[in-house]
Amino acid sequence: MPKKRDPGAIRVIGGKHKGRKLEVPGGGDVRPTSDRAREALFNILSHGDYRTDAGPLPMGAKVLDVFAGSGALGIEALSRGADHVAFLEQDPGNLKMIRCNAFQLGETGSVSMLQRDGSKPGPTPVG
């Protein structure tokens, strides 16, 4: 019988924060990117011909996590060496949880939060 996952938490699967628990919104409105999907995406980026000056992606990259929800994808990118992640999310509760996770991981200086609808992001903030 497969293990049941705690619906209120997931783990970072690679990089400097590997194994660290992330809190995610409950209630089923947010479906965090699965471990397998995140692992597949980052394997493609790190082993393909996708590179930055710092090395294979996401090393040294600036990442945009649109429809961020739990923020798992962007936080995984930070764990694997991204320089900065901008989280675009409409729900203020989800943004608060992402901010809390970034704080727990010591990554607050590497994130930006934009409360917006990902399908209508509007202009880039000045500053």
Side-chain angles (χ1 to χ4, degrees):
M1 179 176 226
K3 282 198 273 183
K4 286 189 177 183
R5 189 184 70 173
D6 176 2
I10 59 172
R11 296 197 183 275
V12 177
I13 57 170
K16 65 184 175 184
H17 300 303
K18 182 178 181 176
R20 297 283 302 269
K21 184 177 168 182
L22 300 175
E23 294 300 318
V24 297
D29 290 339
V30 173
R31 295 172 297 161
T33 308
S34 73
D35 292 357
R36 282 187 172 174
R38 282 182 284 134
E39 181 130 33
L41 173 64
F42 287 103
N43 280 340
I44 290 166
L45 292 175
S46 64
H47 298 296
D49 291 332
Y50 310 102
R51 299 188 67 77
T52 66
D53 290 340
L57 283 175
M59 297 292 294
K62 289 180 173 50
V63 175
L64 178 61
D65 188 347
V66 181
F67 303 103
S70 70
L73 193 66
I75 290 173
E76 189 75 41
L78 284 172
S79 182
R80 293 171 181 255
D83 282 348
H84 187 269
V85 176
F87 294 96
L88 192 67
E89 171 58 45
Q90 189 170 356
D91 186 278
N94 292 351
L95 284 173
K96 183 178 179 183
M97 190 163 290
I98 294 168
R99 186 176 286 111
C100 180
N101 283 327
F103 177 78
Q104 294 295 325
L105 297 173
E107 295 284 5
T108 55
S110 301
V111 300
S112 300
M113 308 283 174
L114 298 167
Q115 185 178 350
R116 299 195 180 162
D117 179 348
S119 64
K120 300 177 236 151
T124 302
V126 177

